[in-house]
């Protein structure tokens, strides 16, 4: 997206332009090498201070996009710009010194709180590690002070700091992960399916915690999830990904009141309703997401779209503005009544 | 009413561990009729999987069933006491014979080094009088029945060559091919995308109509239950705290825990309502709370009552029971008023 298309919250913190991430598969002496096109030509602005949602099925490339922005996946083509007002980095060509600084400014919270914490470290050591590795504190006392402060913010009992992760439940572990991510006071957080492994009762608690912490510290949040109802509740803006591309982007309220892309509509109707007498609507997706090694021609969604026309097979749709702050990539977004 | 397919009475199950006896299931009774989908809902650690495994006597060697526990399986007019079965020959009837199970993680439930087809044929040879050729043809037919395209090719492949949704379908095909009377589905859709989940749920409903078996559907997702089950039992720390028809439990939840679970679910219809978590974490099974097991997290606790005496399971309405003093009080109040 270009600047003229106007973002409400001012300048973007992270902006990608024609970003592609490709992974090579094996090496062949003859013939063409197979390439997984995990992320293909994505231009996206993440406004400063926003809680930005990224949704899609497994295999849609949402994790890869998040990692590329953190410089944890190879950037094959395109640019990523990071500008928090203090520094302005071009992530694709960032040098070592800048990268070290960027690592302090951006953090990742993982999906599985059982796998993300070292079983041999105490909770205090886990939360203190980023501070020690990055040399952000000068004395042990200062480190302890910072750890205690952030632990209290994440509603961890100070008694818990001496224990090991195995003694904690899933929700508590996720709070430890959050404390570790926040301890170096990042400006940008990527949460990759951070509540997917939790029970609903605890999920609500973690979501409320994330929301209040980001508001308190003014952190920009990229929230990656497959769960549209969770995204609807916490995010300001939502981008929907399908097979390496973004198909729709809009402020949350707009997206959930009126979907312009058939894929978004299908994702929404697939969510089971709490009402036992709810009649499920007609749009059911057939089959599964195609392989990103050999994506379909034209619009990548055409193989599963119930509104497919000849044009969709031949010609990839343009990424365009359909309404104020509402973007979509579909030939027939104006005509479809979803 | 038809006689129940499986009847669980006063099931109490403890595990012998180094830290002492851990109570996993405490005095649980329920039944499943032929053609009924019975939902068993609870958070992780509530004992729902352990309960299900008891039906097949699949719990590990350190499991101790209390003497009052009884599980009766009735098929074709004949009854079997499941917990009295000892040898593997006797257990065949509940392990793959009259009862089949679908597990949560389909990748972990298929042997990785044996082709999917061979695994399907193997169990048919064990449990039916089909010969190998017949079993092969029947397995391919079952794969087609659950919507796997190109079934004869897929039959020869290994589990890792299947996608997540396909693996779960193959698992269902395999579980159903022995024509079980009862199917235990342990979180069958939790690891799947919503779009695939919707497909699997539809498939399971169709198959119940077609084969007429009973299903014990275990999940933590009340919305999935709302769309599939006829009756629901809610479990917390090894206790059944509320049972009833889906409409009763979801529309008029009586137990504060069920109410809490429902409030914690993000709902697309009400984006403005903030999520209400259930405070606190599930207590460790090593120190089970006295009195009502939920009183440590309950918002409606009656001091001096809930923390000391155990609420009995009482009938609130026809088919709707709860084990809670608050719910009892409300029910009695309503009765005396009318």
């Amino acid at each position: 997206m270009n600047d003229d298309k106007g973002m409400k919250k001012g300048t973007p913190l992270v902006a990608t332009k024609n970003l592609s991430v490709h992974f090579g598969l094996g090496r062949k002496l003859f013939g063409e090498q197979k390439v997984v096109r995990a992320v293909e030509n994505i231009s996206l602005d993440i406004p400063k201070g926003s809680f930005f949602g990224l949704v899609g099925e497994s295999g849609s490339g949402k994790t890869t996009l998040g990692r590329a922005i953190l410089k944890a996946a190879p950037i094959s083509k395109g640019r990523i710009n990071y500008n928090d007002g203090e520094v302005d980095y071009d992530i694709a060509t960032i040098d070592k010194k800048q990268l070290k600084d960027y690592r302090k400014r951006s953090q990742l919270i993982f999906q599985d709180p059982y796998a993300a914490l070292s079983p041999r470290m105490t909770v205090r050591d886990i939360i203190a590690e980023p501070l020690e590795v990055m040399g952000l504190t000068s004395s042990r006392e200062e480190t302890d002070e910072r750890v205690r402060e952030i632990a209290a913010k994440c509603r961890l009992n100070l008694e818990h700091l001496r224990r090991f992760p195995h003694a904690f439940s899933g929700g508590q572990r996720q709070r430890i992960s959050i404390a570790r991510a926040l301890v170096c006071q990042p400006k940008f957080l990527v949460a990759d399916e951070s509540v997917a492994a939790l029970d609903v009762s605890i999920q609500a608690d973690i979501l409320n915690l994330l929301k209040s912490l980001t508001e308190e510290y003014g952190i920009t949040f990229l929230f990656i999830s497959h769960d549209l109802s969770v995204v609807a509740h916490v995010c300001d803006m939502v981008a929907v990904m399908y097979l390496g591309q973004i198909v729709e982007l809009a402020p949350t309220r707009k997206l959930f009141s009126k979907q312009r892309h058939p894929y978004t509509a299908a994702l929404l109707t697939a969510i089971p309703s709490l009402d036992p007498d709810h009649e499920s609507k007609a749009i059911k997706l057939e089959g599964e997401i195609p392989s990103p090694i050999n994506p379909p021609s034209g619009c990548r969604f055409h193989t599963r779209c119930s509104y497919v026309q000849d044009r969709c097979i031949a010609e990839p749709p343009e990424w365009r503005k359909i309404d104020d702050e509402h973007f979509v990539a579909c030939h027939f977004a104006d005509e479809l009544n979803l | 009413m038809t006689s129940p397919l499986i009847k669980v009475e006063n099931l109490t199950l403890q595990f012998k561990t180094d830290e002492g006896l851990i109570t996993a299931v405490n005095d649980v009774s329920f039944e499943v009729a032929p053609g009924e989908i019975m939902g068993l809902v609870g958070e992780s650690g509530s004992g729902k999987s352990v309960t299900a495994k008891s039906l097949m006597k699949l719990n590990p060697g350190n499991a101790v069933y209390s003497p009052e526990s009884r599980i009766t399986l009735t098929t074709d007019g004949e009854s079997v006491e499941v917990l009295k079965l000892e040898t593997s020959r006797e257990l065949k009837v509940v392990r793959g014979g009259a009862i089949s199970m679908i597990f949560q993680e389909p990748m972990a439930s298929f042997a990785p080094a044996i082709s999917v087809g061979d695994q399907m044929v193997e169990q048919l040879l064990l449990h039916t009088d089909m010969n190998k050729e017949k079993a092969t043809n029947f397995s391919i037919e079952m794969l087609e029945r659950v919507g796997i395209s190109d079934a004869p090719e897929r039959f020869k492949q290994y589990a890792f060559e299947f996608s997540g949704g396909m693996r779960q379908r193959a698992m269902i095909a395999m579980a159903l091919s022995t024509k079980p009377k009862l199917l235990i589905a342990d979180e069958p859709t939790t690891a799947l995308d919503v779009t695939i989940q919707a497909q699997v749920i539809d498939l399971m409903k169709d198959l119940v109509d077609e084969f007429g078996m009973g299903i014990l559907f275990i999940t933590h997702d009340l919305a999935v239950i709302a769309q599939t089950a006829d009756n629901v039992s809610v479990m917390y720390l090894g206790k059944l705290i509320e049972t009833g028809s889906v409409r009763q439990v979801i529309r008029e939840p009586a137990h504060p825990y069920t109410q809490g679970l429902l409030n914690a679910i993000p709902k697309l219809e009400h984006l403005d309502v903030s999520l209400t978590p259930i405070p606190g974490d599930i207590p460790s099974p090593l120190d089970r709370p006295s009195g009502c097991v939920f009183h440590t997290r309950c918002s409606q606790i009656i001091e001096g009552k809930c923390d000391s005496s155990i609420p009995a399971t009482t009938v609130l309405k026809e088919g709707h029971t709860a084990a809670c003093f608050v719910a009892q009080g409300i029910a009695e109040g309503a009765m005396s008023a009318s």
Side-chain angles (χ1 to χ4, degrees):
Chain A
M1 279 169 294
N2 297 318
D3 297 343
D4 57 314
K5 285 176 183 169
M7 278 296 180
K8 219 181 187 173
K9 292 213 174 180
T11 50
L13 182 83
V14 175
T16 74
K17 192 134 185 63
N18 306 107
L19 176 71
S20 296
V21 179
H22 297 168
F23 299 101
L25 269 188
R27 205 177 279 268
K28 283 225 179 85
L29 193 53
F30 300 106
E32 228 174 295
Q33 193 194 23
K34 278 187 181 170
V35 175
V36 180
R37 297 166 195 279
V39 169
E40 188 83 335
N41 201 12
I42 285 185
S43 299
L44 182 70
D45 286 359
I46 301 176
K48 200 182 271 182
S50 66
F51 210 109
F52 196 97
L54 188 59
V55 289
E57 289 173 274
S58 21
S60 61
K62 50 194 195 305
T63 296
T64 309
L65 176 60
R67 295 200 171 209
I69 292 174
L70 292 178
K71 186 91 180 154
I75 299 162
S76 313
K77 257 183 250 159
R79 289 163 61 91
I80 303 172
N81 260 83
Y82 171 88
N83 184 347
D84 63 6
E86 293 168 19
V87 293
D88 187 355
Y89 293 142
D90 179 355
I91 304 302
T93 58
I94 198 166
D95 64 33
K96 254 192 171 162
K97 200 169 148 241
Q98 286 180 334
L99 183 60
K100 216 171 159 186
D101 182 57
Y102 183 54
R103 293 272 181 254
K104 290 176 205 164
R105 294 170 187 272
S106 59
Q107 282 290 322
L108 179 63
I109 303 172
F110 294 92
Q111 170 171 11
D112 186 355
Y114 290 86
L117 305 176
S118 165
R120 291 155 160 268
M121 290 165 82
T122 62
V123 172
R124 184 256 165 213
D125 290 345
I126 287 172
I127 300 177
E129 199 181 19
L131 294 175
E132 284 158 1
V133 169
M134 296 176 190
L136 292 177
T137 49
S138 45
S139 66
R140 197 182 157 90
E141 285 70 42
E142 198 189 337
T143 308
D144 279 341
E145 177 71 20
R146 290 271 286 270
V147 169
R148 275 201 293 271
E149 187 190 322
I150 201 73
K153 280 264 188 281
C154 295
R155 296 207 309 282
L156 288 165
N157 198 326
L158 294 185
E159 269 299 294
H160 291 164
L161 291 176
R162 267 177 288 153
R163 297 200 206 158
F164 289 90
H166 72 87
F168 295 94
S169 67
Q172 286 169 325
R173 281 173 203 233
Q174 202 56 289
R175 291 209 289 270
I176 297 169
S177 305
I178 293 170
R180 173 175 64 181
L182 289 178
V183 75
C184 53
Q185 298 173 333
K187 300 267 192 296
F188 179 54
L189 256 181
V190 177
D192 191 357
E193 297 275 12
S194 294
V195 296
L198 304 175
D199 282 310
V200 272
S201 66
I202 295 152
Q203 172 182 300
D205 180 46
I206 297 290
L207 289 173
N208 289 344
L209 177 69
L210 284 176
K211 191 96 181 149
S212 69
L213 288 173
T214 45
E215 274 160 21
E216 187 178 341
Y217 292 108
I219 299 169
T220 307
F221 218 104
L222 177 61
F223 188 84
I224 301 173
S225 176
H226 71 280
D227 192 335
L228 274 168
S229 40
V230 167
V231 166
H233 268 267
V234 294
C235 296
D236 316 321
M237 284 201 96
V238 182
V240 181
M241 252 185 118
Y242 186 77
L243 211 54
Q245 295 182 325
I246 291 182
V247 295
E248 188 163 5
L249 167 76
T252 309
R253 213 155 278 276
K254 235 174 198 164
L255 188 77
F256 286 92
S257 59
K258 184 151 180 57
Q259 304 90 45
R260 309 306 288 260
H261 198 285
Y263 179 62
T264 316
L267 266 187
L268 269 172
T269 49
I271 299 174
S273 162
L274 257 181
D275 177 7
D277 297 318
H278 176 85
E279 284 291 319
S280 65
K281 277 181 247 160
I283 332 170
K284 278 258 162 74
L285 283 187
E286 294 292 326
E288 291 172 29
I289 197 163
S291 157
I293 299 173
N294 191 11
S297 64
C299 171
R300 291 186 167 197
F301 184 57
H302 84 250
T303 51
R304 294 170 84 194
C305 184
S306 39
Y307 305 99
V308 60
Q309 311 262 334
D310 290 342
R311 190 176 163 202
C312 304
I313 302 168
E315 182 189 335
E318 190 198 347
W319 177 247
R320 63 199 167 98
K321 187 173 179 171
I322 190 159
D323 193 5
D324 190 32
E325 294 184 275
H326 200 150
F327 299 85
V328 69
C330 173
H331 290 306
F332 300 101
D334 296 300
E335 294 135 58
L336 292 178
N337 191 15
L338 296 168
Chain B
M1 205 182 134
T2 46
S3 67
L5 185 59
I6 195 134
K7 192 170 185 182
V8 177
E9 293 164 279
N10 313 106
L11 178 70
T12 299
L13 170 57
Q14 293 178 309
F15 287 108
K16 263 190 257 170
T17 67
D18 293 343
E19 285 98 39
L21 274 179
I22 291 178
T23 308
V25 180
N26 187 356
D27 200 16
V28 161
S29 305
F30 65 91
E31 40 187 67
V32 184
E36 176 189 347
I37 303 186
M38 161 84 166
L40 192 57
V41 190
E43 289 176 88
S44 26
S46 60
K48 49 195 194 311
S49 291
V50 175
T51 304
K53 283 184 185 162
S54 306
L55 304 185
M56 298 168 95
K57 247 191 137 187
L58 271 179
N59 285 310
N62 61 346
V64 186
Y65 298 91
S66 78
E68 304 86 60
S69 308
R70 265 166 68 115
I71 299 175
T72 322
L73 173 76
T74 311
T75 51
D76 307 323
E78 275 178 52
S79 293
V80 189
E81 287 265 351
V82 175
L83 293 177
K84 297 222 170 82
L85 305 175
E86 290 297 338
T87 62
S88 58
R89 178 184 283 269
E90 288 172 350
L91 280 163
K92 225 166 94 173
V93 62
V94 290
R95 292 186 183 164
I99 308 180
S100 281
M101 187 155 177
I102 305 174
F103 298 90
Q104 171 171 7
E105 196 19 88
M107 189 64 215
S109 344
F110 279 108
I114 306 172
S115 73
V116 170
D118 281 351
Q119 296 182 54
M120 294 184 74
V121 169
E122 184 190 11
Q123 51 129 18
L124 281 173
L125 295 179
L126 251 162
H127 290 290
T128 65
D129 47 12
M130 285 184 213
N131 61 24
K132 197 159 181 193
E133 196 196 326
K134 225 173 149 191
T136 305
N137 291 334
F138 185 63
S139 299
I140 293 174
E141 205 183 301
M142 280 306 293
L143 285 177
E144 276 165 0
R145 182 68 197 77
V146 295
I148 291 181
S149 55
D150 211 7
E153 269 313 302
R154 288 287 176 188
F155 179 81
K156 288 181 233 156
Q157 289 186 332
Y158 295 88
F160 74 88
E161 294 172 275
F162 281 42
S163 70
M166 232 171 356
R167 259 181 237 139
Q168 201 56 288
R169 281 160 194 273
M171 188 88 214
I172 293 173
M174 184 164 158
L176 293 184
S177 62
T178 54
K179 301 230 165 71
K181 298 285 189 287
L182 177 72
L183 180 69
I184 301 173
D186 189 356
E187 304 259 9
T189 59
T190 308
L192 305 176
D193 279 314
V194 274
T195 51
I196 312 295
Q197 168 174 287
Q199 295 172 9
V200 170
I201 287 176
D202 281 353
L203 172 68
M204 287 183 66
K205 278 186 180 168
D206 287 352
L207 293 170
V208 174
D209 289 344
E210 192 180 324
F211 293 88
M213 73 265 190
I215 295 189
L216 181 63
F217 198 109
I218 302 171
T219 179
H220 68 277
D221 190 338
L222 273 166
V224 170
I225 285 292
Q227 293 306 307
T228 50
D230 305 309
N231 295 305
V232 196
S233 294
V234 185
M235 249 184 132
Y236 183 77
L237 265 188
K239 276 230 165 242
L240 278 193
I241 51 120
E242 183 164 2
T243 58
S245 75
V246 161
R247 283 172 187 78
Q248 284 168 337
V249 173
I250 287 182
R251 297 222 175 112
E252 301 152 28
H255 198 284
Y257 177 64
T258 318
Q259 294 166 0
L261 271 186
L262 283 164
N263 287 336
I265 298 176
K267 292 167 204 75
L268 283 174
E269 301 85 48
H270 310 286
L271 288 184
D272 293 317
V273 185
S274 67
L275 302 172
T276 332
I278 299 173
D281 289 296
I282 285 200
S284 148
L286 277 171
D287 69 305
R288 290 170 67 84
S290 60
C292 170
V293 280
F294 186 58
H295 85 258
T296 52
R297 297 170 76 189
C298 186
S299 56
Q300 302 169 36
I301 177 173
I302 307 169
E303 296 288 348
K305 193 171 187 184
C306 296
D307 47 3
S308 54
S309 38
I310 298 171
T313 304
T314 41
V315 179
L316 307 171
K317 255 183 204 162
E318 168 84 50
H320 191 181
T321 66
C324 172
F325 291 122
V326 179
Q328 276 170 27
I330 294 170
E332 278 160 21
M335 234 177 272
S336 60
S338 67

